[in-house]
Amino acid sequence: MTSPALLLLVNGETRRVLAPGQTRLSTILRDELGLTGTKIGCDAGDCGACTVRIDGAQACACLVPVAQAAGHAVATVEGLAASPMGDALQRAFLHHGAAQCGICTPGMLMAASELLAGEARPDEAAVAAALGGVLCRCTGYRKIVEAVRDAHRFLAGGPAPVAPAAGCAVGERLARADGLAKVGGTDRFGADAAPDGALWLRAVRSPHPRARFAFGDWAPLLARHPGLVRVLTAADVPGRNGFGIYPDIKDQPVFAPGEVRYRGDCLCALVGDRAALEAIRTEELPIAWTPLAPVTLDDALGGEPVQARWPDNVLTTGRVVSGDAEAALRASRHSAAIEIETGFVEHAYIEPEAGWAQRVGDRIEVFACTQAPYMDLEEVAGVLGLPQAAVRIIPSACGGGFGGKLDVSIQPMLAIAAWLLRRPVRAVLPRGESMASSTKRHPARIAARAGCDAAGRLTGFAFEGRYETGAYASWGPTVAGRVPVHAMGPYRVPAVAARARAIFTNNPPAGAFRGFGVPQAAIAQEALWDRLADAAGLDRLEFRALNALRAGDVTATGQRLAHSVGLMACLDALRPRWRALRATAAAANALADAGGGRQRHGVGIGCMWYGIGNTGMSNPSTMRITLGPEGLVFHNGAVDIGQGSTTALLQIAADALGLPTDAFRLVLGDTDLTEDAGKTSASRQTFVSGRAAAEAGRALREAILLRANAGPEARLALRDGALLVDGRPVGLESTLEGIGRFDPPTRPLDADGQGIPYATYGFAAQLAALSVDLDLGTVHLQRIVAAHDVGRAINPTLVEGQIHGGIAQGIGLALMEEYLPGHTENLHDYLIPTIGDVPEIECLLIEAPEPLGPYGAKGIGEPALVATAPAILSAIRDATGATLTRIPALPHRILEALRR
Amino acid sequence: MTDIRYLAPGTLDEAVNAFAAAAGAARILAGGTDLLVQMRAGVVRPGVIVDIKKIAEMTTIEETPEGGFRIGAAVSGARLAEHPRFGKAWPGVLEAVNLIGSKQVQGRASPGGNLCNASPAGDSVPAMIAAGAVVTVQGPHGRRQMPVEAVPAGPGRTNLTPGEILVSFTLPPRPAGSGDAYLRMIPRTEMDIAVVGCGVSLTLEGGKVTAARVGLGAVAPTPLLVGPAAEALIGSRLEEEALAAAAAACSAACRPIDDKRGTIAYRTKVAGVLLRRTAAIAAERAGRA
């Protein structure tokens, strides 16, 4: 059937398209008109990433049939800069750090541009109303609100961009070095580009949590669908049909060989042209299923093994033992115990997994969103049976990761398809498939007990955590290892017995998610402190201050913390806010009591610590800077997933070298062009790669000074491609190079968890003020105050952005997020915070310098999240007296807890 | 995939003919906010799509000679909000229609689509029920009218007969002293599906309730008209006793399910809580009207 010609007016230009009327506008914009600035996050109107304006009004392009857009004016992010307010808005986004990963940014900009067209100076409520339909998973929305409200100032130019002089970049609020592409919609995410002629790949996934299956004859399907080129199954994997984080645990098959172990497990893949793949119904596939009874956390211990290699279903056990915790608890004046349960949490990055692979001679190239290019390289080499040198990973812009893009997803199957077919092959996971197949935060069942003496000093702590690791190992060992180290929190506890086990079930693999199991543990640990503080008659903040770790203290793993222990400074900074917020809450409650109000106000506190980098194992990073005829080039293999490492590392390298940040050209991520910086995880890039960047900058500086025969204080400058040292030109015929490498010093933990797990720790304390509706069980957040010891804020705007975003995810963990396989595989049943769910946040940056870190800096990515849920739950208890033991604290659970 | 006929008739008769001729293979397209999602998910695979946005009767808002309103089934929430008088007469209905989805969705989604999607939790439906809205439908055998609460038959199912298209909603004239309101309970601040929704319409004379209607959503397979709750309010001055009786009637009417959004016990309790709060807002508006 021929399609009618439709005329679209896109960004003021008339475009003629031939397409069936029901084709979604988003498809036309991206695939027909090449306007890939309009992003697709869900294809269901839930995320708003594809927001465009039609006759001025915002609409989700994925919900608009193109026939209904014909004849109307369609505006996309590509046309935004042409209008003065659009240009001002984009510059305000850059200035305020309102774009992190950038995947929601075009949608946010388009929604905001509608608002600003009618109201140049909107208040916060108007911004929230206008942007309420666009989800952001990175920023916590606060800087977006700031940018939209401030955009009018940029109409008349606005503040000049921060452009620090040589040697002055660290500590400055430099705009993102990769920001222009993000606000312009030109950044290339996994779904935005592919080589010409690329075939598409569609994975086929299990609808059962556990089943055996057998394939029938594929020939009829191939005959019915001429566009279907090939079906790939386990038999087609050229190398090892398994991947996994640990070198000795490659337990997750690319294509399951006969048995699937979770709903979403991949059993085969269809490769062909896109229309043919979309036309194939799941029911057409020749698959005979034999469902089996799934193993759940309730019956995993002592039940049937999920994988034969682990007969007891225990993947890993982590422990930390110091002193005699049981004896200490028995002798304690006050004691408390709690059992909590948390659920799966989905990363919900707005960019679903996407990318392509192509064979280039005897090498394979993979372009995809990732947090760990060198790990992808190892996995792709493994499944293809190729040497690692035959693999090139080119990270796309990464539209959010949060740990979920540390594991490979589509990379192995794309590589296999492209290798075998000798044609480029691409894939974009639909939202539902992304959610069903990807890793999750570990559900945890935790029993914890603690005691203190009459004065409130902690005496002992016991912790038993069962962490559901799902069907495959993924990062389960990391979680089980990290949790016991952190389980008692950042406090002096003389006697500790902490154990965490990662347990297999037939659920999605639980992997890495911002905090590696520590946020779950912190919920239990901080709830105990509130009870002990009450029992000892101490203020909850003062109880924590009394017990807080200080420099010179020895932790439960036997590590002496010599430097950079800023928890007391965090608590000192919070104290006046704590008192003021508590007074406000008390006054509001008195008023409610007098008037029969049904809102109860409360203020909570949570503290946390977090070891930066891998637990007791090597995790090096290498950075390289070159100066030669091609200019000054920073080869940075650290993947920026929105958190800002590209910018922070540039600031560090620039100051170490002594040249301004704008003198550098950046080469990012590509494994053929950059060294292994290690993965973007464990809050390690600023600390580890930052230190490597500083070393690289210094090494290049030394090489320059040597060539120029200049002293250590010499001033460098680059002018028109020429290098000047103290004003004297220095020849650049041959390229000078500075290589920096850093591996944080640690010592592996022994059987009792004794050792030096981390070279340094981030510390934080957060306050939450809220009200609880006693009849509905709903929570209204009023304010969060976050004090974080970051060692040194390399770029305060980026640090605040991490804190805001971590808090938003902490809010989700505490109040609404719960992934249920088969029930919440979309962004309207799986709820993440919207712009209206994140209250005002005050960030207090504490700088207790870490001598090992670059300019004293430590990490912030995960610390930002850990304390939030404990603070919120502490505030709910303060408001109502109810202790929530089943997380998230959904309204019906709050009402149930109130009745107890 | 591309063998779908896309029709955008200019008259209702053409639409009805095309819809009936396709004998079940056709789907009505208004704003597209449900249909395109269902097609993408493979839940529906229509052979014909009938786009009704070019039909005047389905896309306009009229004031009836009696002083009520007739709203085309495909009118978007945003268009309804722009009407100079509708929101003053029916603020609760307007609130409810504009709680459907996000800001972007509200620019496209229509009360007709919300009703025909037949979700137990559709936000506009309890408010329409409380308003006493009557729908006009047209099919191969002509036109008929039915009360809005008679349209949903169960989750995803309606009582429209094959070939029938929902044309419009007619809301009655508003006597002086009337007000309506809609409240829903969601865990998130916006863009969410109601755990419980409650619409109340009241008319007061000298502080005494002379007419009342109550609609509940997300507590049963279809949105409910709760007659006993209205009866408890009529004749009262919204005293505690009357509100308690109406709240109890709402809770008693609930036949909810346990699901990820809430438990049976929770929904049953919250139906009563929302009745009280919604009635208070409706009464406050009635006092001003």
Side-chain angles (χ1 to χ4, degrees):
Chain A
M1 177 170 166
T2 55
S3 301
L6 298 167
L7 293 182
L8 290 179
L9 188 63
V10 182
N11 298 326
E13 200 180 320
T14 302
R15 310 288 295 262
R16 187 167 178 275
V17 295
L18 287 174
Q22 72 275 10
T23 312
R24 285 163 293 135
L25 176 61
S26 51
T27 306
I28 298 292
L29 291 172
R30 290 178 55 85
D31 299 346
E32 301 296 321
L33 304 180
L35 297 172
T36 53
T38 298
K39 306 302 179 190
I40 293 178
C42 70
D43 252 341
D46 297 324
C47 78
C50 66
T51 299
V52 297
R53 291 171 67 190
I54 301 177
D55 291 339
Q58 54 170 306
C60 291
C62 74
L63 294 184
V64 178
V66 66
Q68 290 187 350
H72 298 272
V74 178
T76 73
V77 70
E78 286 87 352
L80 200 57
S83 78
M85 187 54 107
D87 171 67
L89 178 62
Q90 286 171 319
R91 286 189 292 123
F93 261 56
L94 285 176
H95 176 82
H96 285 279
Q100 286 191 23
C101 81
I103 193 79
C104 78
T105 306
M108 286 288 181
L109 289 168
M110 296 316 293
S113 72
E114 181 195 12
L115 172 70
L116 293 173
E119 194 178 1
R121 298 182 180 213
D123 62 15
E124 177 163 345
V127 175
L131 273 54
V134 190
L135 296 177
C136 171
R137 192 58 155 167
C138 294
T139 65
Y141 304 99
R142 300 309 309 177
K143 290 189 180 290
I144 293 173
V145 174
E146 284 172 26
V148 175
R149 296 193 62 196
D150 200 31
H152 66 88
R153 244 184 353 131
F154 291 78
L155 277 175
V162 174
C168 301
V170 167
E172 289 296 317
R173 293 177 180 269
L174 191 68
R176 295 186 71 97
D178 52 359
L180 269 177
K182 295 189 187 294
V183 300
T186 58
D187 220 1
R188 291 286 184 194
F189 292 89
D192 290 341
D196 287 342
L199 295 170
W200 286 76
L201 178 145
R202 170 180 157 191
V204 178
R205 298 188 182 272
S206 170
H208 305 288
R210 183 171 169 229
R212 275 193 291 275
F213 65 91
F215 293 124
D217 184 6
W218 291 100
L221 186 80
L222 286 156
R224 254 197 322 276
H225 299 278
L228 173 61
V229 173
R230 175 130 187 202
V231 179
L232 296 170
T233 69
D236 298 302
V237 179
R240 177 192 64 220
N241 185 15
F243 58 86
I245 301 308
Y246 284 77
D248 58 331
I249 314 178
K250 301 293 180 187
D251 64 330
Q252 184 162 0
V254 182
F255 302 119
E259 181 176 339
V260 288
R261 296 195 175 89
Y262 75 102
R263 187 188 147 80
D265 212 350
C266 185
L267 49 152
C268 63
L270 313 178
V271 186
D273 70 57
R274 190 182 201 177
L277 296 188
E278 287 182 356
I280 296 171
R281 298 175 190 221
T282 308
E283 315 84 77
E284 287 183 75
L285 305 175
I287 304 166
W289 291 104
T290 311
L292 303 170
V295 176
T296 69
L297 193 53
D298 289 325
D299 53 27
L301 294 176
E304 238 187 303
V306 173
Q307 295 193 44
R309 177 172 165 189
W310 292 275
D312 59 357
N313 283 324
V314 177
L315 166 62
T316 309
T317 301
R319 17 186 339 259
V320 170
V321 177
S322 74
D324 185 342
E326 290 302 331
L329 286 168
R330 277 195 302 276
S332 295
R333 172 69 177 275
H334 304 291
S335 63
I338 192 169
E339 292 187 11
I340 66 151
E341 189 177 342
T342 71
F344 281 110
V345 183
E346 154 70 19
H347 300 88
Y349 27 75
I350 304 301
E351 181 205 24
E353 296 78 354
W356 52 262
Q358 69 179 353
R359 182 170 178 169
V360 180
D362 284 333
R363 295 189 80 212
I364 188 88
E365 292 182 358
V366 180
F367 172 90
C369 50
T370 180
Q371 296 179 238
Y374 271 86
M375 291 172 70
D376 292 3
L377 184 148
E378 290 167 21
E379 299 291 16
V380 168
V383 301
L384 289 182
L386 291 176
Q388 293 185 4
V391 181
R392 177 184 188 181
I393 302 292
I394 308 165
S396 70
C398 184
F402 320 114
K405 291 175 182 170
L406 283 167
D407 299 70
V408 290
S409 56
I410 53 173
Q411 295 92 331
M413 58 182 95
L414 283 174
I416 291 167
W419 184 258
L420 295 177
L421 291 165
R422 295 177 181 268
R423 284 183 66 179
V425 180
R426 68 186 299 193
V428 178
L429 291 194
R431 172 59 58 181
E433 186 181 338
S434 166
M435 292 180 78
S437 63
S438 63
T439 62
K440 304 283 172 276
R441 180 183 294 289
H442 284 69
R445 295 188 192 173
I446 293 168
R449 292 169 292 141
C452 66
D453 64 17
R457 279 185 295 266
L458 289 168
T459 50
F461 178 81
F463 177 100
E464 173 70 33
R466 284 184 291 151
Y467 280 68
E468 180 172 359
T469 211
Y472 298 106
S474 180
W475 294 85
T478 312
V479 167
R482 187 176 272 269
V483 165
V485 174
H486 291 81
M488 74 303 298
Y491 305 96
R492 298 163 158 170
V493 192
V496 169
R499 180 171 80 150
R501 285 176 293 173
I503 297 167
F504 284 111
T505 67
N506 288 115
N507 265 323
F513 191 161
R514 213 170 187 170
F516 284 108
V518 177
Q520 298 94 307
I523 287 170
Q525 143 231 317
E526 291 293 310
L528 288 176
W529 302 165
D530 278 3
R531 292 177 183 195
L532 288 178
D534 289 355
L538 286 175
D539 173 275
R540 287 172 285 148
L541 182 145
E542 301 306 340
F543 178 89
R544 287 163 169 88
L546 175 70
N547 289 293
L549 286 172
R550 291 149 168 87
D553 283 346
V554 176
T555 71
T557 72
Q559 178 180 7
R560 187 174 166 275
L561 302 176
H563 307 282
S564 192
V565 184
L567 182 57
M568 277 307 294
C570 290
L571 290 169
D572 290 341
L574 289 180
R575 191 173 283 108
R577 277 107 172 150
W578 169 251
R579 290 178 179 159
L581 288 169
R582 296 203 68 206
T584 305
N589 284 335
L591 205 61
D593 287 346
R598 300 295 289 161
Q599 304 283 329
R600 295 293 303 180
H601 298 257
V603 186
I605 181 169
C607 301
M608 75 98 234
W609 65 330
Y610 198 79
I612 306 300
N614 290 5
T615 308
M617 57 174 93
S618 167
N619 63 131
S621 173
T622 303
M623 291 282 142
R624 183 165 159 258
I625 308 172
T626 56
L627 177 59
E630 73 292 340
L632 177 64
V633 183
F634 186 13
H635 303 261
N636 172 1
V639 173
D640 192 329
I641 58 173
Q643 87 282 22
S645 60
T646 293
T647 310
L649 266 50
L650 174 63
Q651 289 174 267
I652 292 165
D655 280 9
L657 174 59
L659 282 169
T661 53
D662 57 13
F664 288 77
R665 186 164 67 80
L666 301 179
V667 171
L668 300 169
D670 186 328
T671 56
D672 271 11
L673 305 177
T674 63
E675 306 294 321
D676 186 358
K679 62 213 183 298
T680 295
S681 80
S683 306
R684 61 181 289 285
Q685 291 297 21
T686 297
F687 176 58
V688 182
S689 289
R691 171 70 184 270
E695 300 294 340
R698 277 182 212 120
L700 178 59
R701 181 177 175 86
E702 278 169 27
I704 291 169
L705 298 181
L706 191 66
R707 183 176 284 187
N709 196 22
E713 301 304 320
R715 295 171 67 89
L716 310 186
L718 273 178
R719 215 154 283 153
D720 303 324
L723 173 67
L724 305 178
V725 178
D726 281 334
R728 289 180 292 115
V730 176
L732 284 176
E733 303 73 33
S734 63
T735 296
L736 293 169
E737 179 180 67
I739 291 179
R741 186 175 185 277
F742 180 60
D743 189 3
T746 61
R747 201 175 75 224
L749 301 181
D750 65 17
D752 280 339
Q754 298 301 298
I756 300 177
Y758 309 101
T760 190
Y761 297 80
F763 294 88
Q766 294 184 0
L767 308 181
L770 53 75
S771 63
V772 179
D773 185 318
L774 296 179
D775 291 323
L776 294 180
T778 46
V779 171
H780 174 68
L781 291 170
Q782 293 156 335
R783 187 178 183 79
I784 289 179
V785 188
H788 281 260
D789 166 23
V790 297
R792 175 83 190 271
I794 300 294
N795 183 325
T797 298
L798 294 175
V799 172
E800 290 159 2
Q802 284 301 290
I803 294 172
H804 292 168
I807 285 171
Q809 293 182 358
I811 292 169
L813 172 67
L815 297 179
M816 63 182 82
E817 295 189 35
E818 184 168 41
Y819 177 82
L820 304 170
H823 296 283
T824 60
E825 290 158 2
N826 58 62
L827 292 174
H828 61 262
D829 289 318
Y830 186 83
L831 301 181
I832 66 171
T834 68
I835 198 167
D837 295 301
V838 182
E840 193 176 330
I841 296 170
E842 183 184 7
C843 294
L844 305 168
L845 302 187
I846 305 299
E847 296 183 321
E850 166 53 57
L852 285 171
Y855 300 94
K858 308 187 283 194
I860 182 63
E862 290 154 293
L865 174 146
V866 180
T868 306
I872 289 171
L873 295 164
S874 167
I876 291 173
R877 179 175 177 272
D878 183 44
T880 66
T883 298
L884 272 293
T885 54
R886 182 80 176 86
I887 313 301
L890 295 170
H892 63 87
R893 292 182 183 145
I894 291 180
L895 286 194
E896 284 161 16
L898 281 172
R899 279 202 297 275
R900 277 198 294 271
Chain B
M1 283 299 285
T2 51
D3 54 350
I4 299 174
R5 288 177 65 212
Y6 187 96
L7 306 174
T11 70
L12 188 52
D13 288 343
E14 287 175 75
V16 167
N17 288 340
F19 191 51
R27 289 280 163 162
I28 299 293
L29 171 72
T33 56
D34 286 317
L35 182 63
L36 291 198
V37 177
Q38 291 162 357
M39 286 170 60
R40 174 70 184 159
V43 177
V44 298
R45 291 170 182 263
V48 178
I49 288 174
V50 183
D51 178 346
I52 55 171
K53 290 289 254 188
K54 290 191 162 55
I55 301 168
E57 188 179 354
M58 304 189 71
T59 51
T60 50
I61 306 162
E62 286 172 14
E63 288 169 74
T64 63
E66 301 78 36
F69 287 88
R70 204 195 56 77
I71 305 163
V75 167
S76 72
R79 282 277 314 286
L80 206 53
E82 287 162 9
H83 193 279
R85 285 172 297 281
F86 181 82
K88 293 192 175 71
W90 295 103
V93 173
L94 185 62
E95 281 163 357
V97 173
N98 278 321
L99 283 173
I100 304 169
S102 62
K103 176 103 178 161
Q104 300 94 313
V105 170
Q106 289 149 21
R108 305 193 57 79
S110 60
N114 201 221
L115 181 61
C116 292
N117 194 45
S119 160
D123 278 306
S124 67
V125 187
M128 286 285 192
I129 290 173
V134 170
V135 299
T136 299
V137 300
Q138 184 170 327
H141 306 297
R143 283 198 170 213
R144 63 177 178 132
Q145 294 199 314
M146 58 205 286
V148 69
E149 59 271 19
V151 175
R157 294 183 296 116
T158 72
N159 288 313
L160 300 189
T161 58
E164 278 189 324
I165 296 177
L166 184 83
V167 179
S168 61
F169 297 80
T170 304
L171 278 68
R174 278 313 243 170
S178 298
D180 74 331
Y182 175 76
L183 287 178
R184 67 173 180 183
M185 158 54 219
I186 54 171
R188 193 160 76 171
T189 59
E190 55 206 308
M191 267 213 301
D192 195 359
I193 295 167
V195 179
V196 179
C198 180
V200 174
S201 175
L202 296 176
T203 303
L204 271 66
E205 273 180 38
K208 196 166 162 184
V209 178
T210 57
R213 282 175 69 89
V214 175
L216 278 181
V219 296
T222 63
L224 302 175
L225 171 66
V226 191
E231 283 155 25
L233 297 175
I234 292 169
S236 81
R237 295 179 173 275
L238 299 176
E239 306 88 345
E240 171 56 29
E241 197 180 330
L243 288 170
C250 282
S251 292
C254 294
R255 286 173 283 132
I257 54 168
D258 273 329
D259 72 0
K260 54 195 174 280
R261 289 193 151 74
T263 58
I264 291 170
Y266 180 78
R267 287 189 158 101
T268 305
K269 174 182 164 59
V270 165
V273 174
L274 288 190
L275 178 280
R276 288 167 172 273
R277 295 184 183 187
T278 315
I281 298 168
E284 195 268 330
R285 287 172 178 169
R288 281 189 274 132

